[in-house]
Amino acid sequence: MRHYNAVVEAFNTDPAGCEPMFMRGADYGAAEWSDGFLCGFQFDERAWSLLAVGQPTWFAPFMRLGTEDGIAITDKQGDAARWIDAIVPSLVEIAAYWKSRRAMPGHAPMPAMPIVRATPKIGRNDPCPCGSGKKVKKCCGGTPTAPSTMH
């Protein structure tokens, strides 16, 4: 957690000064680091995918070094050093993008979209939707005596 906090602090204050772990002689290389960076997309896949489509040059180093297809192309062209050198400038661009979208001091953050249910919420004391006539809590609601599957 200490490392995570240090990376966040450094990235927020001086993204150009951030140095990925693989550049410090760590056990992993640029390919593993780039693969991990791309895996981070899963935390907000929609937002990251939109950014990657909108700014493909920012993501080219990670795609060339962190995917099987990219590694094959990089090996064939022999230009891994070029892509490794492009990582930090890409991180600076990405950091600037996300920083510009954070809430500005003194301004309220954008409200979250409300969750709208497709059907009304079923309370534990309502009749079970399976049609048994029992309360949800005594039928399919998950009590220890309830059946393990919905019927």
Side-chain angles (χ1 to χ4, degrees):
M1 193 60 163
R2 181 179 19 229
H3 175 70
Y4 168 81
N5 288 332
V7 169
V8 169
E9 176 66 24
F11 208 69
N12 285 333
T13 57
D14 180 25
C18 285
E19 191 173 67
M21 287 287 288
F22 71 88
M23 291 182 170
R24 293 185 225 159
D27 295 333
Y28 301 105
E32 292 86 359
W33 190 91
S34 296
D35 179 46
F37 182 85
L38 294 172
C39 285
F41 281 25
Q42 295 174 17
F43 290 106
D44 191 351
E45 195 168 350
R46 182 178 177 272
W48 280 95
S49 295
L50 289 172
L51 178 57
V53 168
Q55 299 294 338
T57 57
W58 294 355
F59 293 88
F62 313 112
M63 299 302 289
R64 288 291 295 271
L65 297 169
T67 64
E68 288 182 22
D69 291 342
I71 291 170
I73 294 168
T74 302
D75 286 345
K76 184 177 179 182
Q77 294 183 358
D79 59 353
R82 170 184 172 212
W83 296 109
I84 290 170
D85 291 342
I87 287 177
V88 172
S90 290
L91 292 174
V92 170
E93 293 289 349
I94 292 167
Y97 172 84
W98 289 121
K99 189 173 186 176
S100 72
R101 273 136 187 89
R102 287 189 203 123
M104 300 297 288
H107 293 83
M110 291 181 58
M113 296 297 293
I115 297 172
V116 180
R117 296 179 187 274
T119 59
K121 182 177 178 180
I122 299 171
R124 41 185 267 120
N125 288 317
D126 292 337
C128 190
C130 74
S132 68
K134 296 180 183 179
K135 291 182 180 181
V136 169
K137 68 182 179 184
K138 294 287 185 179
C139 189
C140 300
T143 63
T145 58
S148 59
T149 58
M150 192 105 160
H151 45 117

